[in-house]
CSV table of all heavy atoms in Angstrom, one decimal:
chain,number,residue,atom,x,y,z
H,86,SER,N,-15.9,3.8,4.5
H,86,SER,CA,-16.8,3.0,5.2
H,86,SER,C,-18.3,3.0,4.9
H,86,SER,O,-18.9,2.1,4.8
H,86,SER,CB,-16.8,3.5,6.7
H,86,SER,OG,-17.3,2.7,7.6
H,90,ASP,N,-21.0,0.3,2.9
H,90,ASP,CA,-22.4,-0.1,3.5
H,90,ASP,C,-23.5,0.4,2.5
H,90,ASP,O,-24.6,0.4,2.9
H,90,ASP,CB,-22.5,0.6,4.8
H,90,ASP,CG,-21.5,0.1,5.7
H,90,ASP,OD1,-21.2,-1.2,5.7
H,90,ASP,OD2,-21.1,0.7,6.6
H,92,GLU,N,-24.2,3.5,1.9
H,92,GLU,CA,-25.0,4.5,2.6
H,92,GLU,C,-24.6,6.0,2.2
H,92,GLU,O,-24.8,6.9,2.9
H,92,GLU,CB,-24.8,4.4,4.1
H,92,GLU,CG,-25.3,3.0,4.7
H,92,GLU,CD,-26.8,3.2,5.4
H,92,GLU,OE1,-27.3,4.3,5.3
H,92,GLU,OE2,-27.3,2.1,5.9
H,114,LYS,N,-7.1,0.3,0.5
H,114,LYS,CA,-7.8,0.2,1.8
H,114,LYS,C,-9.2,-0.2,1.8
H,114,LYS,O,-9.7,-1.0,2.5
H,114,LYS,CB,-7.7,1.6,2.4
H,114,LYS,CG,-7.9,1.5,4.0
H,114,LYS,CD,-7.6,2.7,4.6
H,114,LYS,CE,-8.0,2.7,6.0
H,114,LYS,NZ,-7.6,3.9,6.8
H,117,GLN,N,-9.3,-3.8,1.2
H,117,GLN,CA,-9.0,-4.5,2.5
H,117,GLN,C,-10.2,-4.5,3.5
H,117,GLN,O,-10.6,-5.5,4.1
H,117,GLN,CB,-7.9,-3.7,3.2
H,117,GLN,CG,-6.7,-4.6,3.7
H,117,GLN,CD,-5.7,-3.8,4.4
H,117,GLN,OE1,-5.8,-2.6,4.8
H,117,GLN,NE2,-4.5,-4.3,4.4
H,122,SER,N,-14.7,-7.1,6.2
H,122,SER,CA,-16.2,-7.3,6.4
H,122,SER,C,-16.7,-8.7,6.1
H,122,SER,O,-17.6,-9.2,6.6
H,122,SER,CB,-16.9,-6.1,5.5
H,122,SER,OG,-18.1,-6.2,5.6
H,126,ARG,N,-18.6,-11.5,8.3
H,126,ARG,CA,-19.8,-12.2,8.1
H,126,ARG,C,-19.7,-13.5,7.9
H,126,ARG,O,-20.6,-14.3,8.3
H,126,ARG,CB,-20.4,-11.5,6.8
H,126,ARG,CG,-21.1,-10.0,7.0
H,126,ARG,CD,-21.2,-9.2,5.9
H,126,ARG,NE,-21.4,-7.9,6.2
H,126,ARG,CZ,-22.5,-7.1,6.2
H,126,ARG,NH1,-23.6,-7.8,6.0
H,126,ARG,NH2,-22.6,-5.9,6.6
H,129,GLN,N,-19.4,-15.2,11.2
H,129,GLN,CA,-20.9,-15.2,12.1
H,129,GLN,C,-21.8,-16.3,11.6
H,129,GLN,O,-22.4,-16.9,12.3
H,129,GLN,CB,-21.5,-13.8,11.7
H,129,GLN,CG,-22.8,-13.8,12.5
H,129,GLN,CD,-24.0,-13.4,11.6
H,129,GLN,OE1,-24.0,-13.4,10.5
H,129,GLN,NE2,-25.0,-12.7,12.2
H,132,MET,N,-21.2,-19.7,13.4
H,132,MET,CA,-21.6,-19.8,14.9
H,132,MET,C,-23.0,-20.5,15.0
H,132,MET,O,-23.9,-20.1,14.0
H,132,MET,CB,-21.7,-18.4,15.5
H,132,MET,CG,-20.2,-17.8,15.5
H,132,MET,SD,-20.2,-16.5,16.7
H,132,MET,CE,-20.1,-17.1,18.2
H,135,PRO,N,-28.8,-19.7,18.3
H,135,PRO,CA,-29.2,-19.9,19.6
H,135,PRO,C,-30.8,-20.4,19.6
H,135,PRO,O,-31.5,-19.8,18.9
H,135,PRO,CB,-29.1,-18.6,20.2
H,135,PRO,CG,-29.1,-17.5,19.4
H,135,PRO,CD,-28.5,-18.3,18.0
H,139,HIS,N,-37.4,-23.9,25.7
H,139,HIS,CA,-38.4,-23.7,26.8
H,139,HIS,C,-39.2,-22.6,26.6
H,139,HIS,O,-40.2,-22.4,27.3
H,139,HIS,CB,-37.6,-23.7,28.2
H,139,HIS,CG,-36.6,-22.6,28.2
H,139,HIS,ND1,-35.4,-22.6,27.5
H,139,HIS,CD2,-36.5,-21.5,28.9
H,139,HIS,CE1,-34.8,-21.5,27.7
H,139,HIS,NE2,-35.4,-20.9,28.5
H,140,LEU,N,-38.8,-21.6,25.7
H,140,LEU,CA,-39.6,-20.5,25.4
H,140,LEU,C,-40.7,-20.7,24.3
H,140,LEU,O,-41.5,-19.8,24.1
H,140,LEU,CB,-38.8,-19.2,25.1
H,140,LEU,CG,-38.0,-18.8,26.3
H,140,LEU,CD1,-37.2,-17.5,26.0
H,140,LEU,CD2,-38.9,-18.4,27.5
H,142,THR,N,-43.5,-22.5,23.4
H,142,THR,CA,-44.5,-23.2,24.0
H,142,THR,C,-45.2,-24.1,22.9
H,142,THR,O,-45.3,-23.5,21.8
H,142,THR,CB,-45.6,-22.6,24.8
H,142,THR,OG1,-46.1,-21.5,23.9
H,142,THR,CG2,-45.2,-22.1,26.1
H,144,THR,N,-48.1,-25.5,20.6
H,144,THR,CA,-49.4,-25.1,20.2
H,144,THR,C,-50.5,-26.0,20.7
H,144,THR,O,-50.4,-27.2,20.7
H,144,THR,CB,-49.6,-25.1,18.6
H,144,THR,OG1,-48.3,-24.7,18.0
H,144,THR,CG2,-50.6,-24.1,18.2
Q,160,MET,N,-53.7,-23.1,16.2
Q,160,MET,CA,-53.8,-21.8,16.7
Q,160,MET,C,-52.6,-21.3,17.4
Q,160,MET,O,-52.0,-22.0,18.3
Q,160,MET,CB,-54.9,-21.7,17.6
Q,160,MET,CG,-55.6,-20.5,17.9
Q,160,MET,SD,-57.1,-20.7,18.9
Q,160,MET,CE,-58.2,-21.7,18.2
Q,164,GLN,N,-47.2,-15.4,22.1
Q,164,GLN,CA,-45.8,-15.7,22.3
Q,164,GLN,C,-45.1,-16.2,21.2
Q,164,GLN,O,-44.0,-16.1,20.7
Q,164,GLN,CB,-45.7,-16.5,23.6
Q,164,GLN,CG,-44.2,-16.9,24.0
Q,164,GLN,CD,-44.2,-17.6,25.3
Q,164,GLN,OE1,-45.0,-17.4,26.1
Q,164,GLN,NE2,-43.2,-18.4,25.4
Q,165,GLN,N,-45.9,-17.3,20.6
Q,165,GLN,CA,-45.3,-18.0,19.3
Q,165,GLN,C,-45.1,-17.0,18.2
Q,165,GLN,O,-44.1,-17.1,17.5
Q,165,GLN,CB,-46.1,-19.2,19.1
Q,165,GLN,CG,-45.9,-20.3,19.9
Q,165,GLN,CD,-47.0,-21.3,19.8
Q,165,GLN,OE1,-48.1,-20.9,19.5
Q,165,GLN,NE2,-46.7,-22.5,20.3
Q,168,TYR,N,-42.2,-14.9,18.8
Q,168,TYR,CA,-41.0,-15.6,18.8
Q,168,TYR,C,-40.5,-15.8,17.3
Q,168,TYR,O,-39.4,-15.8,16.9
Q,168,TYR,CB,-41.1,-16.9,19.4
Q,168,TYR,CG,-39.8,-17.8,19.5
Q,168,TYR,CD1,-38.9,-17.6,20.6
Q,168,TYR,CD2,-39.5,-18.7,18.5
Q,168,TYR,CE1,-37.7,-18.1,20.8
Q,168,TYR,CE2,-38.2,-19.4,18.7
Q,168,TYR,CZ,-37.4,-19.2,19.8
Q,168,TYR,OH,-36.1,-19.8,19.8
Q,176,ARG,N,-29.4,-14.8,16.7
Q,176,ARG,CA,-27.9,-15.1,16.6
Q,176,ARG,C,-27.2,-13.9,16.7
Q,176,ARG,O,-26.3,-13.6,17.4
Q,176,ARG,CB,-27.6,-15.9,15.3
Q,176,ARG,CG,-26.2,-16.2,15.4
Q,176,ARG,CD,-25.6,-17.2,14.4
Q,176,ARG,NE,-26.2,-17.1,12.9
Q,176,ARG,CZ,-26.3,-18.1,12.1
Q,176,ARG,NH1,-25.6,-19.2,12.3
Q,176,ARG,NH2,-26.8,-17.8,11.0
Q,179,GLN,N,-27.5,-12.4,20.1
Q,179,GLN,CA,-26.5,-13.0,21.2
Q,179,GLN,C,-25.0,-12.7,20.9
Q,179,GLN,O,-24.4,-12.4,21.9
Q,179,GLN,CB,-26.6,-14.6,21.0
Q,179,GLN,CG,-25.8,-15.3,22.1
Q,179,GLN,CD,-26.3,-16.7,22.2
Q,179,GLN,OE1,-27.3,-17.2,22.1
Q,179,GLN,NE2,-25.2,-17.5,22.8
Q,197,HIS,N,-32.2,-14.4,27.0
Q,197,HIS,CA,-33.4,-15.1,27.7
Q,197,HIS,C,-34.2,-13.9,28.1
Q,197,HIS,O,-35.4,-13.8,28.0
Q,197,HIS,CB,-33.0,-16.0,28.6
Q,197,HIS,CG,-34.1,-16.7,29.3
Q,197,HIS,ND1,-34.7,-16.3,30.4
Q,197,HIS,CD2,-34.6,-17.9,29.0
Q,197,HIS,CE1,-35.6,-17.2,30.7
Q,197,HIS,NE2,-35.7,-18.2,29.9
Q,278,ARG,N,-23.6,-3.4,12.8
Q,278,ARG,CA,-23.5,-3.3,11.3
Q,278,ARG,C,-23.2,-4.6,10.6
Q,278,ARG,O,-23.8,-5.0,9.7
Q,278,ARG,CB,-22.4,-2.3,10.9
Q,278,ARG,CG,-22.2,-2.1,9.4
Q,278,ARG,CD,-23.4,-1.6,8.7
Q,278,ARG,NE,-23.3,-2.2,7.3
Q,278,ARG,CZ,-24.5,-2.3,6.6
Q,278,ARG,NH1,-25.7,-1.9,7.1
Q,278,ARG,NH2,-24.4,-2.8,5.3
Q,279,GLU,N,-22.0,-5.2,10.9
Q,279,GLU,CA,-21.4,-6.3,10.2
Q,279,GLU,C,-22.2,-7.7,10.6
Q,279,GLU,O,-22.4,-8.6,9.8
Q,279,GLU,CB,-20.1,-6.6,10.5
Q,279,GLU,CG,-19.0,-5.3,10.3
Q,279,GLU,CD,-19.0,-5.1,8.8
Q,279,GLU,OE1,-19.8,-5.5,8.0
Q,279,GLU,OE2,-17.9,-4.5,8.3
Q,280,LEU,N,-22.6,-7.8,11.8
Q,280,LEU,CA,-23.1,-9.1,12.3
Q,280,LEU,C,-24.7,-9.1,12.5
Q,280,LEU,O,-25.2,-10.0,12.4
Q,280,LEU,CB,-22.6,-9.6,13.6
Q,280,LEU,CG,-21.0,-9.7,13.6
Q,280,LEU,CD1,-20.6,-10.2,15.0
Q,280,LEU,CD2,-20.5,-10.6,12.6
Q,285,TYR,N,-27.8,2.2,8.8
Q,285,TYR,CA,-27.4,3.3,9.6
Q,285,TYR,C,-28.5,4.0,10.4
Q,285,TYR,O,-28.4,4.4,11.6
Q,285,TYR,CB,-26.7,4.5,8.8
Q,285,TYR,CG,-25.4,4.1,8.3
Q,285,TYR,CD1,-24.8,2.8,8.4
Q,285,TYR,CD2,-24.4,5.1,7.7
Q,285,TYR,CE1,-23.5,2.5,7.8
Q,285,TYR,CE2,-23.2,4.8,7.2
Q,285,TYR,CZ,-22.7,3.5,7.2
Q,285,TYR,OH,-21.5,3.1,6.9
Q,307,ARG,N,-13.9,0.3,12.2
Q,307,ARG,CA,-13.2,-0.6,11.0
Q,307,ARG,C,-11.7,-0.3,11.0
Q,307,ARG,O,-10.9,-1.3,10.9
Q,307,ARG,CB,-13.8,-0.2,9.7
Q,307,ARG,CG,-15.1,-0.8,9.6
Q,307,ARG,CD,-15.8,-0.6,8.3
Q,307,ARG,NE,-16.9,-1.3,8.1
Q,307,ARG,CZ,-18.1,-1.1,7.5
Q,307,ARG,NH1,-18.3,0.3,7.3
Q,307,ARG,NH2,-19.1,-1.9,7.4
Q,308,GLU,N,-11.2,0.9,11.1
Q,308,GLU,CA,-9.8,1.1,11.2
Q,308,GLU,C,-9.1,0.4,12.3
Q,308,GLU,O,-8.1,-0.2,12.2
Q,308,GLU,CB,-9.5,2.7,11.2
Q,308,GLU,CG,-8.0,3.1,11.2
Q,308,GLU,CD,-7.4,2.6,9.9
Q,308,GLU,OE1,-8.0,2.1,8.9
Q,308,GLU,OE2,-5.9,2.6,10.0
Q,311,ARG,N,-9.0,-3.2,11.6
Q,311,ARG,CA,-7.9,-3.5,10.6
Q,311,ARG,C,-6.6,-3.6,11.3
Q,311,ARG,O,-5.7,-4.5,11.1
Q,311,ARG,CB,-7.9,-2.5,9.6
Q,311,ARG,CG,-7.1,-2.8,8.3
Q,311,ARG,CD,-7.3,-1.6,7.3
Q,311,ARG,NE,-6.6,-0.4,7.8
Q,311,ARG,CZ,-5.4,-0.1,7.5
Q,311,ARG,NH1,-4.7,-0.9,6.8
Q,311,ARG,NH2,-4.9,1.1,7.9
Side-chain angles (χ1 to χ4, degrees):
Chain H
S86 191
D90 301 324
E92 294 265 1
K114 195 168 176 181
Q117 221 176 31
S122 175
R126 282 162 197 257
Q129 184 229 19
M132 294 191 78
H139 56 290
L140 290 181
T142 51
T144 323
Chain Q
M160 209 178 291
Q164 180 172 327
Q165 285 165 334
Y168 189 85
R176 181 159 50 186
Q179 184 164 333
H197 183 272
R278 175 62 211 159
E279 304 285 25
L280 306 183
Y285 283 12
R307 281 183 167 132
E308 178 60 13
R311 194 176 68 90

